[in-house]
Amino acid sequence: MAKVTINAKTIEVPDGTNLVRAAEMAGLEIPHYCYHPGLSIAGNCRMCLVDIRAMSTKQPNPLPKLQIGCNTTVQDGMVVESNNPRVIEARQGVLEFLLINHPIDCPICDQAGECKLQEYYMDYGRYHSRFALKEKVDKGKVIPVGPDIMLDQERCILCTRCVRFLEEFTRTFELGIKERGDHSELTLADGKQVDNPYATNIVDICPVGALTSREFRFQARVWYLDATPSICAGCATGCNIDVDLRHERIYRLKPRFNSEVNSFWMCDAGRRTWQRNHGEHRLIGSYVRGGSEFVESDPHEVVSRAADALKSHRRTAVLASAHATMEEGWLAKRIAALCGNGPCVVVSPASSEIPTDDKLISTDRFPNRAGLVALGFTEHTAPPEDVDSILMLRADVVAADEDRWGMFLEDMGETLVVADEIGKTMAYADHVLAAGSHFETDGTYVNRGGRLQLFRTAVAPPGRALAGWQLLAELLARLGGPRYESVDEIFAAMCTEIGLGSGRTHASVATSGVALADWKQGRAAAARSEGAGAQA
């Protein structure tokens, strides 16, 4: 550990920490553009200049020139000032240079509200330019550089975050800087488009309005959006995300830092999973079969009728999608135990046409296979034997193989479907319960690395749909099981039963999740926070 004093505030930080990160740990900000904790250090924006008054305990003399904080490692006894008149004057000069050729179009820029150029200008700027508008160098505007990315060259400050991301993370090299001096500009490499599976991350890390998302731009001002922490359900990796929303509508998903899972990044396919949360394919009401037709009914009435139907049959199997949450899977297993102790099966295929890569993408397109297996579910794609009733949990088996599953379901005395989307399996159902999606409930998933992760309710379920755990908890109670009134009660009971410890609640799951193995062995989760507060 090294003891460093920044603006008269002394803290201890791990050896090797740079001054930008050390200041963040002290609750201070050293402004920066080109530095990003997930990328190599370029040191080209010069915004993080600081005055080092003492280099270390052994070298207590001040350095004659200002130094960049991003590329200066703390030393024991170092004394730094980032807010004295000398630093402020230099910072104002840097901002004046960066704004010389900027179009100053903040009122119509889609980055407004999360633009570091705008924020630092208000915090540290000179506020009036000594450069005539007519002398500005014109550059390109509204340039599509990929399926979801627009480039405005005039707004670019040449920090090269995007260039380094494409060089270091994806290694696809689509963007570069050409020309010299004030004619330098960000541009596409010959014959390239920014269309790799992680392309939109460069929009997230662009500190200004140079790179914007074609999907999100002009849809909403960011200061009107609320963010809810969640987990991407697009594959088995379980990237940590924030759901940005307003008035019960989701506008975008952004990666949330987790050093144990996805660092600062997520793939573009996962970023678009929110789109399925809206549309006519959503199931918004619960139904009872009446002859050849379905009759919509109150969901509690449907639960009651379904419970009576299951009681009248000998043995019920649970067929679950690996989209089901831990809480839903555990309740379904309890229901199966009360209904003849039938098998609990994960019917989702473990692989897809999308290959697993060496970064974040998994061929398993379901978020909770590992969790359901930990609960005792087995994996089969064939219909179970020796059962006369089915609880279908978020699975649409008929869509995958109508010949095989259609004949099987025709022979069932009772089929109860719990789903958030309309599917082909519903045609064989006796009762249908409309459940909220994972954006519409609290719950947990276990990712392919065995990490239990929590997600929160972002928006309300549509129509008369209810959270999946509410429907299953009521069904369990009507079948003679215990009555659970909250998802926390279910989580605590589940953790006790499967050996994760007693007294667990959702609040005890760290923001970075917890390894199941740690809880089983009684180890406390060590939530790593480095980089969490850094500008992403």
Side-chain angles (χ1 to χ4, degrees), residues 19-63:
L19 283 174
V20 174
R21 286 288 299 127
E24 288 173 354
M25 293 176 189
L28 304 171
E29 181 190 51
I30 295 178
H32 56 275
Y33 291 119
C34 67
Y35 171 70
H36 188 285
L39 302 172
S40 63
I41 292 174
N44 59 19
C45 76
R46 319 308 287 180
M47 192 65 186
C48 61
L49 288 169
V50 295
D51 193 354
I52 298 180
R53 306 303 302 164
M55 194 65 192
S56 66
T57 304
K58 294 181 178 178
Q59 300 179 49
N61 297 325
L63 298 188

Side-chain angles (χ1 to χ4, degrees), residues 139-265:
K139 298 179 183 178
K141 300 186 73 67
V142 198
I143 304 169
V145 294
D148 188 42
I149 301 170
M150 297 295 283
L151 167 63
D152 187 314
Q153 291 175 323
E154 287 186 339
R155 295 176 185 160
C156 179
I157 60 171
L158 305 174
C159 73
T160 70
R161 280 187 178 191
C162 53
V163 175
R164 281 175 283 147
F165 176 83
L166 298 173
E167 290 177 352
E168 297 166 11
F169 186 77
T170 65
R171 299 193 62 76
T172 45
F173 307 96
E174 292 100 333
L175 291 175
I177 307 293
K178 73 174 185 179
E179 302 296 346
R180 304 179 65 183
D182 61 0
H183 284 69
S184 298
E185 59 188 21
L186 180 68
T187 189
L188 278 170
D190 287 345
K192 293 273 192 176
Q193 285 281 302
V194 189
D195 55 1
N196 68 72
Y198 299 91
T200 310
N201 287 286
I202 65 174
V203 173
D204 296 334
I205 62 176
C206 179
V208 297
L211 295 169
T212 52
S213 165
R214 299 173 75 171
E215 176 185 282
F216 176 72
R217 67 201 309 256
F218 307 126
Q219 296 301 305
R221 285 299 195 186
V222 295
W223 52 77
Y224 292 130
L225 300 180
D226 296 319
T228 300
S230 188
I231 303 298
C232 177
C235 78
T237 300
C239 291
N240 289 209
I241 59 172
D242 279 324
V243 181
D244 284 353
L245 59 114
R246 185 189 184 206
H247 294 166
E248 298 295 325
R249 180 189 169 191
I250 299 173
Y251 281 86
R252 65 178 179 180
L253 306 182
K254 294 189 72 175
R256 178 166 52 89
F257 176 79
N258 186 334
S259 63
E260 304 295 335
V261 181
N262 57 300
S263 186
F264 298 92
W265 323 118

